Amino acid sequence: MIPASFDYTRPGSVEAAVAALAADEEAKVIAGGQSLLPLLRLRFAYPTLLVDLGGISELRGVRDAGDALEIGALTTHYELTRDPLIAAHAGLLAQAAGTIADPAVRHRGTIGGALSHADPAGDLPAVITALDAVLVVTGPGGSREVSPGDFFADYLTTTLAPGEILTSVRVPKLGDGWGYHYEKFHPTAQAWAIVGVAALARRSNGHVAEARIGLTNMGSTPVRAGAVEAAAAGAEASATAMRAAAQHADQGTSPPSDLRAAADYRRHLARVLTGRALAKAAGV
Amino acid sequence: MTATADHEVGRARARKEDARLVTGQTNWTDNITLPGLAQVAFLRSPHAHARITSVNLDAARTAPGVFAVFAGPDVAAEQGSLPCAWPVTEDIVIPNHPPMAVDTVRYAGEIVAAVVARDRYAAADALELIDVEYEALPPVLDMPAALEPGSPKVHAEGNKSYTWTLANGDLDAAFAGAPVVIERTYRQQRLIPEAMEPRAVVVAPVADEFTMWSSTQIPHVLKVMLALVTGIPEHKLRVIAPDVGGGFGSKLQVTAEEVLALILARRLGRPVKWTESRTEGNAAVHHGRDQIQKIRIAAEADGTLRGLDVDLLADMGAYLMIVTPGVPLLGAFMFNAIYKMDAYRFNCTGVFTTKTPTDAYRGAGRPEATYAIEHIMDDLAVHLGQDPLEVRERNWIKHEEFPYTTISGLTYDTGNYEAATALAKDLFQYAELRKEQSARNAASAAVRLGLGVSTYTEMCGLAPSRVLGSLRYAAGGWEHAAIRMLPTGMVEVITGSSAHGQGHETAWSQIVADELGVPFEDVRVLHGDTAISHKGMDTYGSRSLVVGGTALVSACGKVREKARVIAAAMMEVAPTDLEWADGRWAVRGDPDQGKTIGEIAFAAFAAHDLPDGVEPSLDSDATIDPDNFSYPHGTHLCAVEVDTETGWVKIRSYVAVDDIGNVINPLIVDGQLHGGIVQGIAQALFEEAAYDDSGNLVTASLADYLIPSAADVPSFTLARTQTPSTLNPLGVKGVGEAGTIASTPAVVNAIVDALRPFGVTDVAMPCTPERVWRAINSAVNNAPPALGGTTPRQPPAQNQTDGGGAA
């Protein structure tokens, strides 16, 4: 990798990191480096300063916070796949993290980095959108909490203000009756999703009481498939009913056409894959 | 005393080179560093086709750490033209190919300037300070359009490089009145070879002599060509290919970067290094395949072939590189494959486009040919309502008919297509899978099953020099080997074939161990340095073992004969009283009396008691020119499941039965097949070098150019039949390209087989999920089956129709 030159700092606290960021508007945060390093390598980005969060131990790991899990921004994808709290209360996150790229990337890439990069083809943005997670952001003025809908602004763009860092993700614990499935459609194991569907369904008395669907790569930001959620709520927990509800999956989306797939094919895939993901989440 | 009790040949020896390769103890070219080493970086054209109107190097020249900056005019007088060694016709157009563009760029990625700097960072920074102004010219991207009279021209001479024809038999008679004629057009997409190790070159000048380290497959050919291109006398050049991490043909080249590194080192009088990035390489390494294949067959009503007519357009890219125009010709002899017929015509036109030049890529011409013939044989079978293996068997050369001279003029020495196919069918459970397929079709299942067949052959062991001469190739196809017997009985083997991942050091050691009766561990193989291995034709075309192995056996024979004379003197008997037995020279009738090669080597070293006129040396060498190619063959069977709702293709099982003659090391053979099969699957399912409408390569990184990993392919079932080659003493046929040649049609035939009930007759490669899905939908919604009659047409699955409505 032959990037343009930059300065580097490795602060020991969030406050110091925020201060370093705030002092240089061309500074970039680096955590696992799995998105930033390719940009530097290709000289698509010319930061003057890299603020390495790697020395901030408080950003690591998963903590039980009562009704929710507090996941530090530096938690790696690999750790998401192995953490017992995640497995018990937010299994969708572990399942989806296990599909990201390859083992080398999963051992380096972090949840905070993946979300802040805001690639709509990334898996975790749609997953935390479906999970109704809250993003905790710290800046010069202190901390604030942001919903996924307010965090993801556009393709590779978040509403993080200059000097702000995503410090943790608060994921509500899934209660009894919830099932989940992440259906990822990618041409090779290491490739990004053409379309991904993060599905959650709460079953009650043979019916789906509640469903939440997040779509990967169906627009410039992760998308909630509201029409499917509405159609699934109260429906019989059957493959046929889930497939029927999923016919609305592409409503309100604006999928891209690119090298990998045209928009109409993505719309079709969203419907088929949502049906499958919902059925698995509903246990049918 | 017997040196080795068991034969080494045939043992699954772990590769002796791997310890240093996988533990980072070796020097790849990029690891080599020298005092005062400067780094080179190249600025490349962002345009497919443009005139260079101005280049301003001032800012770059004054940037920190920069030693020198050059544009095309600065090196025009000494850079020469990159060589094309295969002018396939008398009237072929071979355009001038400056290593650095001087006034016009003809593909995105062509070099327009070079920076030599203290380190790679300074060099890369300075590249950004070079200001080049271009006047855009129209790109030429489509081969048929390029041949239209009004097309923009890539070169002043026009867009056609050559037309080459091979014909035998009365083609008109074969097609006139033929009960069955099938015509198809297939597309061989453009591929990018992705060797694990990117290209790199280091040049060290010492006075007027130059040493080049390069990640190349062809140090010997490169040395000759560098001398011819640059005018540096050949004896003042030394080329070293250290350990090289893969090539697949992409390092069978004399590259612009190598020539420029040599020129820049000479200019500056200091050593220089260049190492490419993956993105740079994707645009600048020569590409592979890229053909439009019009193929027509005539057959009797029972499927017996009468004639075959092939018309190719082959994309040369912007320039002809070392063997660019010859690659399709290697396929010309292979379209007829294992089949008998009365008439054959092959016609190929090489076309210039404003894309990266193409050249040899694993299989080089033979995968293209095999794909087309194996695909159309399936189409013929469907047309006739026959099983694809039935129509093949009707037409293939029977084992008792060998040696057999084919319609394209090659003489196949041995083969047994019946045996390989029978074993493959058995391992594959062909009949059971056909039943399952029928059941799924009858049930209109959403996930269909398809079975793909590929009964391939290929020509290996490139090549008899007289054949290369008749095809107007500039060089020969011989190979050289030498044995140096050390006083302690150790053996140094020098081979002219230059390994870059094939495991020569292990296989050659096994051969020599048997030939000289020495332990495997006592053999060291040296290669890839023209100062050590002074003669060679290098490694490509599955030639190393077939040709280089033959030279090795011959050299060993000479060592033995020299040893015999000395052994006889040591034991005070006549040489004719000795016999070679159990790896030593023993007295006939008195087997307790004998001498090993090691003992004899020490006697030769001491040289105290040698007979008059006997030289004190066992060292020997041999240069061998083959009489014929070798012809591996096999039957590959692939089962795919196709999800008709999404277009997803899953390879469920894959059986490969290969007949590569005798096997030196089954572990290496299996490795070659695994990698080869995956590389062929990659063409079938994943890889394509894609350009946008302005001629920019849009698959410049591995994020966009999808190569499969182990996670994307199944485990393969490998088995072998053995009909030893009669053309070389080892009985070997070559295996470096077999898997790649065989697997692409096996996979695509399987996909099409799964979708024929919908009326699908072809899916363009790579068969991505979207292409498969669209093929189903367009066949179901618009078109009747192109091949009518005997194919039972099933209604599509209900849910599939629902999905298709979205399009």
Side-chain angles (χ1 to χ4, degrees), chain B residues 336-521:
Chain B
N336 52 297
I338 63 171
Y339 307 115
K340 298 178 284 187
M341 61 193 72
D342 303 325
Y344 172 50
R345 188 188 71 113
F346 171 91
N347 192 66
C348 175
T349 297
V351 184
F352 292 114
T353 60
T354 54
K355 296 182 186 173
T356 301
T358 60
D359 208 317
Y361 176 53
R362 200 171 192 174
R366 293 158 288 163
E368 297 92 314
T370 305
Y371 177 84
I373 187 67
E374 288 302 291
H375 196 322
I376 205 163
M377 289 302 281
D378 263 28
D379 295 336
L380 175 64
V382 169
H383 183 89
L384 297 171
Q386 295 180 10
D387 186 275
L389 284 169
E390 182 188 345
V391 78
R392 284 168 170 81
E393 181 159 17
R394 187 181 307 285
N395 287 289
W396 73 42
I397 302 157
K398 305 295 180 286
H399 70 273
E400 66 272 16
E401 294 176 296
F402 289 93
Y404 184 91
T405 300
T406 71
I407 193 72
S408 63
L410 297 177
T411 299
Y412 296 175
D413 62 323
T414 55
N416 191 333
Y417 310 137
E418 296 93 328
T421 302
L423 179 56
K425 281 178 77 170
D426 186 42
L427 293 169
F428 192 63
Q429 300 189 287
Y430 189 81
E432 289 79 354
L433 287 171
R434 281 283 178 219
K435 277 185 209 150
E436 181 185 334
Q437 178 184 38
S438 298
R440 285 183 188 231
N441 287 346
S444 293
V447 177
R448 298 296 177 99
L449 186 64
L451 310 186
V453 174
S454 174
T455 49
Y456 79 99
T457 189
E458 56 156 333
M459 52 200 269
C460 289
L462 271 51
S465 297
R466 61 185 164 75
V467 174
L468 293 176
S470 73
L471 294 172
R472 301 176 55 85
Y473 180 61
W478 46 264
E479 194 49 85
H480 178 258
I483 305 287
R484 298 201 296 222
M485 284 304 308
L486 305 184
T488 56
M490 303 294 144
V491 187
E492 287 178 346
V493 174
I494 292 152
T495 176
S497 52
S498 188
H500 45 283
Q502 291 85 351
H504 287 20
E505 291 173 36
T506 303
W508 273 221
S509 296
Q510 290 179 268
I511 293 168
V512 170
D514 281 359
E515 291 291 323
L516 297 182
V518 298
F520 170 80
E521 295 78 8

Side-chain angles (χ1 to χ4, degrees), chain A residues 211-248:
Chain A
R212 301 207 299 261
I213 311 289
L215 300 177
T216 297
N217 217 5
M218 286 296 289
S220 59
T221 62
V223 184
R224 277 287 280 268
V228 179
E229 295 175 1
E236 186 191 355
S238 70
T240 310
M242 295 302 101
R243 187 186 283 273
Q247 290 312 304
H248 306 286

Side-chain angles (χ1 to χ4, degrees), chain A residues 1-4 41-43 46 185-192 243 259-262 264-265 268-269 271-272 276, chain B residues 120-121 124-125 128 279 643 645-646 648 686 690 698-699 703-704 706 709 711-712 769-770 773-774 799 803 806-807:
Chain A
M1 183 184 84
I2 313 295
R41 177 177 82 76
L42 295 167
R43 298 197 171 205
Y46 291 82
F185 195 83
H186 49 154
T188 62
Q190 296 181 61
W192 278 274
R243 187 186 283 273
L259 189 63
R260 213 58 72 212
D264 67 325
Y265 177 56
H268 166 77
L269 282 180
R271 294 192 293 268
V272 173
R276 293 178 183 182
Chain B
R120 291 189 73 184
Y121 298 93
D125 289 348
E128 300 187 332
T279 309
D643 181 342
E645 290 184 354
T646 62
W648 183 258
F686 302 113
V698 293
T699 51
D704 294 316
L706 290 184
S709 69
D712 300 303
E770 180 172 12
W773 177 73
R774 288 196 194 281
N799 43 37

Side-chain angles (χ1 to χ4, degrees), chain B residues 172-189:
Chain B
D172 291 340
F175 275 86
V180 180
V181 172
I182 293 178
E183 183 171 344
R184 288 285 185 274
T185 300
Y186 304 125
R187 176 81 200 219
Q188 293 285 325
Q189 79 270 35

Side-chain angles (χ1 to χ4, degrees), chain B residues 758-761 778-787 793:
Chain B
F758 298 95
V760 171
T761 58
S778 71
V780 167
N781 294 335
N782 302 320
L787 297 172
R793 189 168 181 212

Side-chain angles (χ1 to χ4, degrees), chain B residues 84-107:
Chain B
C84 172
W86 204 339
V88 296
T89 61
E90 274 183 29
D91 61 349
I92 184 173
V93 171
I94 302 181
N96 185 49
H97 187 183
M100 188 181 292
V102 176
D103 49 27
T104 305
V105 290
R106 294 184 174 86
Y107 67 96

Side-chain angles (χ1 to χ4, degrees), chain A residues 37 47 85 87 107 110 120-121 124 151 163 171 228 246 265 267 280 282:
Chain A
L37 292 186
L85 286 171
H107 277 267
T110 65
L124 298 186
F151 182 80
V171 178
V228 179
Y265 177 56
R267 287 181 181 277
K280 282 182 184 157

Side-chain angles (χ1 to χ4, degrees), chain B residues 47 50-56 103 130-136:
Chain B
H47 300 287
R51 219 180 322 276
I52 301 169
T53 55
S54 75
V55 182
N56 187 338
D103 49 27
I130 297 174
D131 185 18
V132 183
E133 286 180 17
Y134 297 93
E135 177 192 327

